[in-house]
Amino acid sequence: MPTKQLPLVANNEKVALVPASTPLTHRLVFGALSGMGAATFCHPLDVIRVQMQTDGVAYKNTFDAATKIYQRAGVLEGLYAGVSAAYLRQWMYGSFRIGIYAYLLEQTQLQNVASGKNKNDISFGQKLAMGCCSGGIGSFIGTPSELALVRMSSDSKLPPAERRNYSNVIDCIARIGKEEGITKLWRGATPTVLRATLLSSAQLGVTSEIKGYLSKSGWFGPNGAYFYGLPMMFCSTLCSSFVANIVANPFDVMKSRLQSMPVDASGKAMYSSMGDCFVKSVKSEGILVLWRGFFPAFVKLAPYTVISLTLADKLTRAVTGKDAL
């Protein structure tokens, strides 16, 4: 689709052409679709990560976890448990995370063009700030789907008598609201938002920064166009996912534990807050508990980041003729 351009007028004289902005709604749809594509491939890794990070059955390593989950519940009810929640999460969280970032990045580029600057004259700090903003907004909106994802992913790990046996994501969210209260759908929202803010900042900001550097380097052809830009996107997103995982994993552990913790008959939960969860976890299991599940988290995050951001970038270019990142 050709890019429309709007004339930049000063003193009734046409001095430049500024590309028209892609609507935010389009950016949100591109983000959701790319996230669903990545989730389809990566969901079993997310199930393994959640089950390794939460209390209950202990696993020796990632392979042991995958094997036992499969033996206990099979593929659909085990490794793909909660996949409907994962898809909903992409529309509630992934769409805003990627869509808002791409929209803010484009708006800044258009402002640069309008003021006569290089379109890509955007600091690394600005990119990180855009990632923080989009990740924070998306994660707060998407917390109910994130809670449902964690609940459904970890349910098969519980003893049969304690399993909640949600039939699908709608049933899960409805039952949580009915049995525990509407506000409990945002249980674990603090670590979820903090994690997503840092994760998105690293994922999106670092990807854009490295992509810009590699594009100028010539290592992947003129403007990184070698083989449709896929090798450049692969390197950029792989590096950003490693940085993001280091920063976000402690919050991921806290989030998983808060969202899957049991509640007794009197309504008392195992942890009273993120701080309480942090103190109790570190005190009983050591500081390295904060990076428990790091390898499966990275193994899941890396392909998810590579697939989702590459799909978002290429889908956006195919439809609008412009990059997303």
Side-chain angles (χ1 to χ4, degrees), residues 5 69 82 101 111 116 120 125 128 148 154 172 176 184 189 193-194 198 217-218 232 242 252 285 294 309:
Q5 294 184 319
I69 293 170
Y101 178 84
Q111 289 175 8
N120 294 316
L128 293 178
S154 61
C172 179
I176 292 173
K184 297 304 181 183
V193 172
L194 287 174
L198 295 173
S217 71
M232 180 179 67
F242 184 76
D252 207 20
E285 301 173 63
F294 180 89
L309 297 189

Side-chain angles (χ1 to χ4, degrees), residues 38-95:
T40 300
F41 176 79
C42 300
H43 186 70
L45 298 172
D46 211 23
V47 171
I48 294 169
R49 173 189 62 80
V50 169
Q51 294 214 11
M52 290 186 71
Q53 289 178 340
T54 52
D55 298 313
V57 179
Y59 300 113
K60 297 176 182 177
N61 50 50
T62 303
F63 181 76
D64 179 56
T67 301
K68 288 182 178 178
I69 293 170
Y70 173 75
Q71 291 175 342
R72 184 170 61 244
V75 175
L76 294 180
E77 299 299 325
L79 293 173
Y80 272 90
V83 70
S84 59
Y87 289 148
L88 178 63
R89 180 174 178 266
Q90 295 309 317
W91 283 97
M92 295 180 69
Y93 166 57
S95 60

